[in-house]
Amino acid sequence: MTGSGVTSTVAATPEADTDPRTLLDRALAREPTTRRPLWINRQAGRYLPEYRKLREQHSFKELAGSADLAAEVTLQPIRRFPLDAAIIFADIMSPLPALGIDFDFAPGPVVAEPIRSAADVAALPDADVAEPAPEVIEAIGLVRRELPEDTALLGFCGAPWTLAAYLVEGRGIKDFPLLRAFAAAEPQALERLLARLSRLMADYLIRQGQAGADAVQIFDSWAGLLPRAAWQRLVRPHLESMLVTVGDAGIKRILFVNNAPHLVEAYAELPAEALAVDWRIDLRALQDRHGHRRAVQGNLDPAILTAGPEPTRTAANTLLNQVHARGHIVNLGHGLLPNTPVESVAALVETVRREEH
Ligand code: 1CP
């Protein structure tokens, strides 16, 4: 492609200079911006020396469980790089104690008593009594007060299916065979579990919005485990009802679908302001099909950043040239890897910001 279409879509408008909204807000509305917004999945965490230093004194559970420490970790990458959004430091498991779920991290989530039967699902508390992750809600308030005005704050949650994956399987393992067996043997119990998670996550995301999050990202990291027909029947209705409830509350939604090429078209039909995809997906082709009504987010391969600043710059420039600026939020296609040099992140930030005019 020539690239001329790309430059014409980033033309600055006089209004854009005085618009109090963040770049992320405007990209979510698919309005023209002076440059594309950038934030990075897992931008806080183990690749940062200042995070590793805190981790010498505190477990991950302690960091995520304390509003003060979580706020501090959220702000660490923002102090180092001029990113356009912070994402609250927590885990997709954080709201699950509200359902009486006990878990630890080793380093990923390990559930003490996995859900393996209809009786296990029936035993979950049904009334919406407990407040999901009050420490996360408090941390959002703390970060909001510290964050520069032009930096957006993102809340997040796990999609019902991805949470169910950990709850049924008990931990993250390849292809989640116990989960797929449960979906076949106990479809009604699975649906009851998904419905319960969908309600809890809608409530949790709305609370995050009320506490000061500008938008929320829903991580469906294990979206691709079921074939399309089973996904449509069992999973989609519960994901959709959560997205509708959150949208009706006026909260903007970024829906991340990971490693599910057979479902990307179905995800693009779900109600969300932006669709985020992993690095396997052709983002420009996705934008050509759905960009008239969805912003797109992504999708550099995180592994490229581990190769250093030069490959990072090359890949970032290719992405910027291929994908139209309007309605594009730059990000990786999955989380930063712990062995990423800080210099690669700096190179990515610099490359994206150079587009400004
Ligand atoms: O320091 C440590 O040892 C803990 C590692 C760690 C971290 C930094 C875990 C355990 N979670 C987190 C934080 C986290 N998790 C964030 C905060 C944002 C940031 O770092 O900037 C977010 C958004 C998540 C979301 C998350 N957790 C997802 C969805 C995104 C994705 O990666 O697909 C998933 C699947 C999890 C589960 C989880 N928690 C932790 C790990 C290592 C994992 C995944 C691996 C596994 O299942 O074993």
Side-chain angles (χ1 to χ4, degrees):
M1 58 168 282
T2 62
S4 57
V6 172
T7 40
S8 67
T9 59
V10 290
T13 59
E15 306 87 74
D17 298 329
T18 53
D19 194 326
R21 291 174 304 157
T22 62
L23 274 182
L24 185 87
D25 268 342
R26 282 183 272 159
L28 284 170
R30 286 173 294 106
E31 291 172 16
T33 51
T34 51
R35 63 171 172 82
R36 307 168 212 224
L38 165 71
W39 70 277
I40 306 174
N41 283 319
R42 299 266 168 134
Q43 63 192 32
R46 286 171 290 182
Y47 77 104
L48 280 180
E50 54 271 36
Y51 176 81
R52 289 199 299 270
K53 193 145 180 273
L54 266 183
R55 274 286 274 115
E56 284 169 16
Q57 292 144 39
H58 305 279
S59 68
F60 170 68
K61 224 176 172 180
E62 280 168 8
L63 289 180
S66 146
D68 285 330
L69 290 171
E72 169 59 24
V73 174
T74 303
L75 290 165
Q76 283 181 343
I78 304 298
R79 294 196 189 106
R80 208 184 250 268
F81 308 110
L83 294 157
D84 297 301
I87 180 161
I88 197 67
F89 189 79
D91 193 73
I92 58 169
M93 302 298 282
S94 299
L96 297 185
L99 290 182
I101 307 287
D102 185 20
F103 55 85
D104 223 321
F105 293 95
V110 181
V111 177
E113 293 175 44
I115 294 173
R116 300 270 167 81
S117 68
D120 291 343
V121 176
L124 293 172
D126 195 43
D128 299 298
V129 277
E131 200 186 326
E135 73 283 6
V136 176
I137 305 303
E138 190 188 340
I140 287 175
L142 295 175
V143 172
R144 188 69 278 176
R145 286 197 278 287
E146 297 280 320
L147 212 55
E149 249 177 38
D150 59 356
T151 310
L153 176 56
L154 291 168
F156 75 90
C157 76
W161 170 254
T162 286
L163 293 172
Y166 285 102
L167 291 178
V168 174
E169 198 75 38
R171 60 198 309 146
I173 65 161
K174 189 173 155 41
D175 296 337
F176 291 77
L178 288 170
L179 171 71
R180 284 153 52 222
F182 189 65
E186 297 280 2
Q188 289 178 341
L190 175 67
E191 283 216 60
R192 281 200 295 279
L193 176 60
L194 293 173
R196 189 69 194 87
L197 291 167
S198 165
R199 277 188 5 248
L200 183 69
M201 290 311 118
D203 177 35
Y204 180 46
L205 292 179
I206 291 168
R207 287 172 192 266
Q208 293 184 53
Q210 288 166 345
D214 298 284
V216 294
Q217 176 150 312
I218 298 103
F219 286 95
D220 215 346
S221 303
W222 302 112
L225 296 169
L226 291 182
R228 208 176 116 86
W231 178 84
Q232 286 281 4
R233 192 170 64 247
L234 297 172
V235 179
R236 189 194 56 81
H238 307 287
L239 177 56
E240 181 164 13
S241 84
M242 183 197 79
L243 291 166
V244 168
T245 305
V246 171
D248 285 350
I251 293 163
K252 281 166 252 163
R253 304 148 295 183
I254 304 171
L255 178 60
F256 172 59
V257 52
N258 183 49
N259 200 3
H262 62 303
L263 297 177
V264 166
E265 284 306 296
Y267 273 75
E269 299 301 324
L270 288 167
E273 281 62 37
L275 184 64
V277 291
D278 66 78
W279 70 91
R280 300 165 186 87
I281 303 296
D282 181 336
L283 194 62
R284 170 59 192 271
L286 182 76
Q287 190 182 47
D288 285 346
R289 292 195 301 277
H290 302 285
H292 56 290
R293 56 195 182 92
R294 297 270 184 277
V296 296
Q297 180 180 284
N299 71 339
L300 290 174
D301 183 345
I304 294 175
L305 279 78
T306 67
E310 256 331 291
T312 300
R313 251 180 233 114
T314 304
N317 277 319
T318 303
L319 180 74
L320 296 177
N321 284 328
Q322 281 175 349
V323 179
H324 289 296
R326 190 160 173 170
H328 179 205
I329 301 159
V330 183
N331 202 327
L332 307 186
H334 206 178
L336 270 174
L337 295 163
N339 61 336
T340 304
V342 170
E343 294 73 25
S344 293
V345 177
L348 172 59
V349 173
E350 204 182 279
T351 307
V352 174
R353 291 181 75 92
R354 197 157 340 110
E355 212 185 19
E356 185 136 32
H357 60 274

